[in-house]
Amino acid sequence: MQESRETEALPHDAPLHEDVGRLGTLVGRMLAEQGGEAFFKRVESVRQAAIRRRREGDSVDALANTLAGLQAGDAEALARAFATYFQAVNIAERVHRIRRRREYQRDGTTPQPESLLDVLTQLKEQGVGGDELVGWLNRMQVEPVFTAHPTEAVRRSLLEKEQAIVRALVDNFDPTRTPQERHEDDDRIYMALSSGWQTAEASPVSPTVQDEHHHVGFYLANPIYRIVPALYESLAQALKTIYDVTVPLPQLLSFATWVGGDMDGNPNVGAATIDASLATQRAHVLEHYVEDISTLARLLSQTDQRVHVDEALLHRLADYQQRFPQAAASIRPRHADMPYRSLLTLMSARLRATEEDGHSEGYTSSKELQDDLEIIARSLIDHHGLHAGAYAVKRLIRRVRTFGFHLARLDVRQDSRVHDEALSALLNDPDWLSREVADRVTRLQPYASGERAFDISDDANAQTLHDVFSTLHDARATYGTEAIGLYIISMARSAADVLAVLALARYGGLAATPAAVSEGSGGSTKVPIDIAPLFETVDDLKNAPATLRALLDDPVYRQHLASRGNQQWVMLGYSDSGKDAGTLASRWGLQRAQVDLLELAHAAGIRLAFFHGRGGSASRGGARITPALMSSPRGSVAGVLRITEQGEVIHRKYGIRALALRNLEQTVGAVLRASLRPRRTEQREEQWIQRMDQLSASSRKAYRALVDREHFVEYFRTATPIDVIERMTLGSRPASRRSMRGVQDLRAIPWVFAWTQCRSIITGWYGLGSALESGATEFGEEMLVEMARDWPFFINMLDDVEMVLAKCDLDIAEAFSQLAGPLHDDFFELIREEFERTQHWLLRLKGSDVLLGRAPRLSRSIVLRNPYVDPMSLMQVDLLRRWRASDSTDDALLAALVACVNGVSQGLQNTG
């Protein structure tokens, strides 16, 4: 494999190298203590051999031979050792991002790129005035959506150990730290590493939906909950610095989750998990509010002899003393002259009552809690308390406005086929699934409008969906109207698929009381939920405008949309479109669909909002947020960004508070830039679009020629570790939607995960080389060079593919491919030829000799990891061969394989 560049030191990176060396030394010491000196020497010997192989360009055979035939336990320990080194490098790089942020802030002369200060500076230079900017802030809606798609399963206890290491490294930013304190920091790191080594990376049993919820809840209720006020403070400071504007900031940010509501292909999710997830989220956020209010009570010790307080506060205090006599009696007599502390103590009692469902004295909504806090804040400000606690109160107000009593909105998702199977039973029509769309629409309209009602059915699917919608109805009353997010229809292909949800929602009583629905009344009632069709395959994306047009022409649905503020949500599937047609055709299909859908929505007089179903890897739409939004179609952002956060991406973006804040600042800044000053209209773009249509078709043809080739599924199942991934305890959802007949039935996450593990990562580039070669022949290389230089869409796509190519190793991929026996000869040469073709044309269009020549820091990061990834990959090949020879029954070999998979995941970082 071609190295992208040497590992020379880069400016500002000396502290990073120090941290890597420091952690590496501690890891080595820990391995020697835990595994013995001989084990540590074995690890070092393999690492040095891997480095020599890379440096001298040797074949993989020599390194593979040294790793062949290891006892399962030895192989597992070796893989875990290399994975621990990855953990150290990953932590060091994250801490270095915190260090660089602080260096920018301390320097003060140049804002950090993509910070809010930087974004507002650029917008002002582009002619954006303060009024225009504030107007857009009032329209903004940014909502990251956390999903349970783990390609990197990390136990909460290990996350906490990682945070302990981060804190120790950050403490060392202080140059006045004494040698003794530094030694104590090393002891803390060493303890975290040692106890982590003695902890299994994942549970031996598959996680339940509730386990997944607790995992996602770790990020929502910890780093994110804490840093949200700081985001608004950063934006307020940037507004003041750049525009000299001070205004109350509107609510820009909210969060959502799929955990407990994503029923698509997961029989473990349904009405019970929806209710359990909402209850757990409510408990988490109320617990945080109780803690914060207790902290405020200790802070706000003002006495009424020293300061005045507003009459409104005294009235609220008197009211609560009457309503909560037991809590009032618990206030110490010596605190009776502290009105703020007394009121906060009683508010805490009311919050605890809120934790008990149906308690008459609890808060009925988060707005009531916010009102109490506003009374305290106003009183403090009115009486010289702005710097005596008002800021702390305002921070809690910001959290209450963001998280409510629900923490994160819960989306619900189901496959359109499941809806149709239920409707077939409810309509007593066994031919329902095969009927024409127009016929289904006509049949559904009276049920979707509420003019008619289904009879109660004992069909299992119908009963399940009835319970789901009934639970959503109850949840709105129990947890608040903001607790429920979108209802997403997977594999949506027609207006009938959307009307089906309206009809089934009424069947479950979401639009009215169950009694009213069963009587057939309630035709004037509304279904209080936003329905988002999910367009996943390239063909579905191509047909999406026709689907939306039919939906908007339907009077029943148009009435529903009016009740939802005439805003239509559409979810775009990056994962399945990539699996269906390859990365170039997928990217282009998504781009064209957004343009066409926006034109249609504008003509119909409605607002269209996109929900981007991006994964972690480039193969599934993963990308840096700023270039992704700046290369999106003009008008597609318009102040709104809803995007999935999945797998290891959640950990990387939100696992550390400072990085969570940086990520959210970059996201808000990117939305502002793409909304206020999208890229300029380009006269050449019409011609580029025509060329891209051709390139997309050529790329899809080449990709489908591979995956439709006879025996490809068999090749995939033997040349990748998909059978290991299917046995891993990563999530509660099966790896395939149905029995595995072909690639179309496999979920996109394990599909990408498997190809990444074998180091060919064909999901991120296959077909592009053939398309570029064909394009150079058909319309000339000069046109391609121009597009690669001047068109943000094409530039961004090529940059992402370049990163994927840099992570590939075709020699190791060949070792995996040889596991397929005779099929290796049928397929691997095609893969190698397309890889070389893709790399050749990408470098040619970029005018570069090496991959990532213009991204030295990323290049160095990959090069730094390769000597640790390679041994785990080669061990995985040997272990796979032996495990399959045991008819996949040797659990010790499986445990070693899982260790290798987890280690490679940490090394490559964005795997699925």
Side-chain angles (χ1 to χ4, degrees):
M1 171 181 169
Q2 176 189 1
E3 294 291 357
S4 47
R5 72 171 35 221
E6 295 300 317
T7 58
E8 77 275 8
L10 297 170
H12 309 292
D13 282 354
L16 168 61
H17 304 326
E18 290 177 11
D19 281 349
V20 170
R22 179 183 178 190
L23 291 176
T25 299
L26 291 171
V27 169
R29 180 179 135 206
M30 181 273 293
L31 293 175
E33 180 183 272
Q34 298 294 320
E37 193 64 32
F39 172 64
F40 172 63
K41 288 180 179 178
R42 180 64 184 273
V43 172
E44 279 298 290
S45 173
V46 171
R47 187 176 72 88
Q48 292 299 328
I51 291 172
R52 282 195 303 273
R53 179 242 162 183
R54 288 276 173 176
R55 185 175 60 235
E56 298 170 10
D58 294 342
S59 73
V60 299
D61 296 340
L63 182 58
N65 289 336
T66 67
L67 298 166
L70 291 174
Q71 292 292 319
D74 293 340
E76 181 181 0
L78 196 58
R80 292 189 65 223
F82 283 117
T84 304
Y85 276 115
F86 281 134
Q87 179 192 19
V89 173
N90 291 343
I91 291 173
E93 289 186 341
R94 289 166 189 162
V95 168
H96 191 56
R97 289 183 61 199
I98 299 173
R99 181 185 291 112
R100 292 290 295 135
R101 176 180 173 84
R102 290 189 177 191
E103 287 172 353
Y104 274 108
Q105 292 172 336
R106 188 166 52 247
D107 177 64
T109 56
T110 305
Q112 185 176 16
E114 299 183 8
S115 66
L116 289 171
L117 202 59
D118 176 54
V119 168
L120 266 58
T121 299
Q122 291 185 55
L123 289 174
K124 188 173 184 179
E125 290 172 352
Q126 292 174 315
V128 175
D131 290 342
E132 182 184 5
L133 177 59
V134 171
W136 271 99
L137 288 176
N138 289 319
R139 298 167 56 182
M140 277 188 64
Q141 181 183 358
V142 176
E143 189 168 51
V145 182
F146 291 73
T147 72
H149 291 331
T151 51
E152 179 186 60
V154 183
R155 274 183 158 157
R156 179 166 182 158
S157 56
L158 293 178
L159 294 174
E160 290 167 347
K161 297 180 200 308
E162 180 179 295
Q163 289 187 338
I165 297 173
V166 169
R167 285 193 294 271
L169 291 175
V170 170
D171 284 346
N172 271 272
F173 290 175
D174 181 0
T176 67
R177 208 155 179 79
T178 67
Q180 176 63 28
E181 289 171 327
R182 186 177 172 88
H183 179 75
E184 290 170 358
D185 292 336
D186 283 349
D187 287 344
R188 283 191 287 158
I189 295 171
Y190 192 72
M191 180 172 64
L193 290 171
S194 300
S195 58
W197 177 262
Q198 295 177 354
T199 305
E201 289 78 7
S203 169
V205 298
S206 295
T208 64
V209 174
Q210 195 69 357
D211 291 332
E212 292 173 339
H213 181 270
H214 283 296
H215 182 76
V216 168
F218 173 84
Y219 300 96
L220 284 168
N222 289 286
I224 292 173
Y225 176 87
R226 290 297 166 199
I227 58 89
V228 159
L231 172 71
Y232 287 90
E233 290 159 10
S234 178
L235 178 56
Q237 182 60 48
L239 274 169
K240 177 65 177 173
T241 301
I242 305 302
Y243 284 94
D244 195 26
V245 167
T246 302
V247 293
L249 291 177
Q251 192 64 27
L252 311 173
L253 183 67
S254 59
F255 296 89
T257 177
W258 279 15
V259 183
D262 186 7
M263 300 179 291
D264 180 14
N266 191 344
N268 302 308
V269 177
T273 61
I274 290 170
D275 186 62
S277 291
L278 289 168
T280 301
Q281 289 176 187
R282 179 184 177 89
H284 280 167
V285 78
L286 289 178
E287 180 182 347
H288 276 296
Y289 292 158
V290 169
E291 291 174 359
D292 285 357
I293 283 177
S294 296
T295 301
L296 285 176
R298 291 192 296 272
L299 172 67
L300 300 182
S301 59
Q302 288 90 334
T303 56
D304 53 18
Q305 302 98 327
R306 297 282 184 181
V307 295
H308 294 292
V309 296
D310 285 353
E311 284 296 318
L313 187 139
L314 294 175
H315 287 146
R316 186 61 52 93
L317 176 58
D319 177 37
Y320 279 16
Q321 285 171 333
Q322 266 194 326
R323 293 171 61 181
F324 304 102
Q326 188 173 354
S330 71
I331 298 174
R332 297 177 182 178
R334 61 195 181 92
H335 294 163
D337 61 345
M338 298 178 178
Y340 295 119
R341 178 174 289 183
S342 296
L343 178 56
L344 286 162
T345 300
L346 297 172
M347 288 167 58
S348 181
R350 192 175 183 194
L351 269 175
R352 293 190 186 281
T354 308
E355 293 176 326
E356 303 176 28
D357 287 341
H359 198 296
S360 60
E361 294 179 340
Y363 285 105
T364 61
S365 71
S366 62
K367 181 65 169 61
E368 291 183 349
L369 173 60
Q370 184 181 324
D371 288 345
D372 281 352
L373 292 168
E374 295 278 8
I375 287 173
I376 294 172
R378 280 195 298 271
S379 180
L380 285 165
I381 293 169
D382 289 347
H383 302 286
H384 309 290
L386 181 62
H387 300 289
Y391 279 123
V393 178
K394 286 178 140 185
R395 281 192 147 212
L396 182 52
I397 290 171
R398 182 59 69 183
R399 291 188 180 112
V400 174
R401 290 180 66 185
T402 301
F403 299 105
F405 281 173
H406 59 278
L407 185 63
R409 297 203 299 161
L410 181 64
D411 283 357
V412 178
R413 181 171 75 138
Q414 185 56 281
D415 193 309
S416 62
R417 186 180 181 88
V418 175
H419 298 149
D420 280 334
E421 289 169 352
L423 289 168
S424 178
L426 290 168
L427 293 166
N428 193 24
D429 184 353
D431 298 324
W432 176 256
L433 277 75
S434 61
R435 294 197 182 279
E436 294 294 327
V437 170
D439 185 17
R440 283 187 284 149
V441 166
T442 301
R443 293 277 300 279
L444 284 171
Q445 282 175 331
Y447 298 98
S449 67
E451 294 173 14
R452 298 186 62 181
F454 295 119
D455 292 330
I456 296 298
S457 170
D458 58 4
D459 174 78
N461 272 335
Q463 184 60 51
T464 296
L465 288 167
H466 176 279
D467 293 346
V468 165
F469 286 108
S470 177
T471 299
L472 293 178
H473 172 270
D474 295 343
R476 285 172 54 82
T478 303
Y479 305 110
T481 58
E482 291 300 311
I484 306 302
L486 304 181
Y487 192 101
I488 299 149
I489 310 168
S490 297
M491 296 297 172
R493 295 191 169 99
S494 71
D497 292 333
V498 180
L499 291 178
V501 173
L502 281 180
L504 290 166
R506 291 184 180 277
Y507 175 63
L510 180 55
T513 63
V517 171
S518 63
E519 293 165 5
S521 62
S524 62
T525 61
K526 310 299 181 188
V527 175
I529 196 165
D530 292 312
I531 304 171
L534 166 54
F535 300 113
E536 300 181 74
T537 69
V538 168
D539 286 341
D540 289 345
L541 289 165
K542 185 177 181 179
N543 296 327
T547 300
L548 183 61
R549 183 179 296 106
L551 199 56
L552 296 178
D553 286 343
D554 186 273
V556 172
Y557 187 75
R558 199 58 187 264
Q559 186 177 21
H560 166 75
L561 199 61
S563 74
R564 305 303 298 167
N566 276 318
Q567 176 171 277
Q568 175 64 50
W569 283 96
V570 167
M571 185 171 181
L572 302 171
Y574 291 70
S575 302
D576 279 283
S577 60
K579 179 168 67 74
D580 169 52
T583 189
L584 176 58
S586 168
R587 293 272 190 113
W588 187 236
L590 289 157
Q591 191 87 351
R592 288 301 300 264
Q594 290 176 76
V595 171
D596 294 342
L597 289 168
L598 284 167
E599 290 179 356
L600 177 61
H602 180 72
I606 67 159
R607 288 176 292 119
L608 191 65
F610 293 110
F611 177 15
H612 299 273
R614 293 181 181 268
S617 67
S619 305
R620 298 182 50 242
R624 288 181 55 239
I625 192 67
T626 299
L629 295 191
M630 293 308 294
S631 63
S632 62
R634 299 174 192 86
S636 63
V637 179
V640 177
L641 179 67
R642 201 172 200 265
I643 186 169
T644 53
E645 301 283 25
Q646 304 178 2
E648 77 279 355
V649 172
I650 297 176
H651 181 52
R652 191 169 68 245
K653 287 184 176 180
Y654 301 101
I656 300 171
R657 288 187 190 180
L659 298 188
L661 176 58
R662 167 71 170 156
N663 173 69
L664 290 175
E665 284 187 357
Q666 288 176 302
T667 302
V668 169
V671 172
L672 283 171
R673 285 187 61 195
S675 302
L676 275 88
R677 290 297 181 267
R679 67 182 195 277
R680 294 178 179 176
T681 302
E682 169 60 67
Q683 292 182 346
R684 296 170 294 173
E685 195 163 336
E686 188 169 335
Q687 187 178 23
W688 293 342
I689 289 171
Q690 295 173 3
R691 300 312 183 202
M692 188 55 69
D693 284 339
Q694 295 172 261
L695 292 174
S696 174
S698 297
S699 177
R700 184 181 187 184
K701 180 180 179 182
Y703 176 84
R704 293 306 311 186
L706 176 71
V707 299
D708 290 337
R709 191 179 176 91
E710 189 176 8
H711 302 303
F712 176 79
V713 171
E714 183 182 350
Y715 174 72
F716 165 67
R717 295 200 64 83
T718 50
T720 75
I722 182 61
D723 44 348
V724 176
I725 292 167
E726 290 170 340
R727 294 277 288 272
M728 291 174 69
T729 57
L730 289 174
S732 67
R733 194 165 68 159
S736 57
R737 284 186 167 93
R738 305 173 185 91
S739 60
M740 181 77 177
R741 300 185 306 272
V743 170
Q744 70 275 10
D745 292 325
L746 188 75
R747 292 194 176 278
I749 294 168
W751 165 255
V752 174
F753 198 6
W755 286 113
T756 303
Q757 285 286 318
C758 74
R759 307 288 293 279
S760 65
I761 325 181
I762 67 168
T763 54
W765 54 266
Y766 199 95
L768 176 60
S770 293
L772 295 176
E773 186 172 79
S774 172
T777 300
E778 291 181 26
F779 48 81
E781 184 176 338
E782 185 178 343
M783 172 67 71
L784 290 173
V785 170
E786 178 184 279
M787 293 162 64
R789 184 188 63 233
D790 298 336
W791 193 15
F793 167 79
F794 202 53
I795 294 168
N796 190 42
M797 187 272 298
L798 292 178
D799 285 346
D800 288 344
V801 172
E802 183 179 21
M803 180 195 67
V804 174
L805 294 177
K807 291 187 175 185
C808 294
D809 188 312
L810 267 289
D811 293 336
I812 290 177
E814 184 172 17
F816 274 94
S817 181
Q818 287 168 350
L819 294 172
L823 293 178
H824 165 72
D825 294 332
D826 292 343
F827 287 95
F828 189 73
E829 199 55 37
L830 295 173
I831 292 172
R832 185 180 285 280
E833 287 175 359
E834 183 66 12
F835 178 86
E836 292 173 351
R837 186 180 297 115
T838 302
Q839 181 173 261
H840 166 78
W841 279 104
L842 187 142
L843 292 175
R844 189 159 175 161
L845 296 185
K846 282 178 164 279
S848 179
D849 296 327
V850 293
L851 293 171
L852 299 179
R854 299 172 187 170
R857 185 162 280 110
L858 176 57
S859 173
R860 177 175 173 76
S861 178
I862 293 172
V863 170
L864 185 67
R865 286 171 167 77
N866 280 335
Y868 301 95
V869 180
D870 296 351
M872 288 189 291
S873 293
L874 293 172
M875 278 195 296
Q876 195 177 148
V877 173
D878 179 63
L879 292 166
L880 263 176
R881 183 182 292 110
R882 292 155 57 192
W883 181 61
R884 289 170 179 170
S886 76
D887 200 23
S888 304
T889 59
D890 190 322
D891 290 341
L893 289 173
L894 178 61
L897 278 164
V898 169
C900 289
V901 169
N902 285 333
V904 172
S905 295
Q906 288 200 32
L908 298 181
Q909 292 191 295
N910 50 357
T911 59

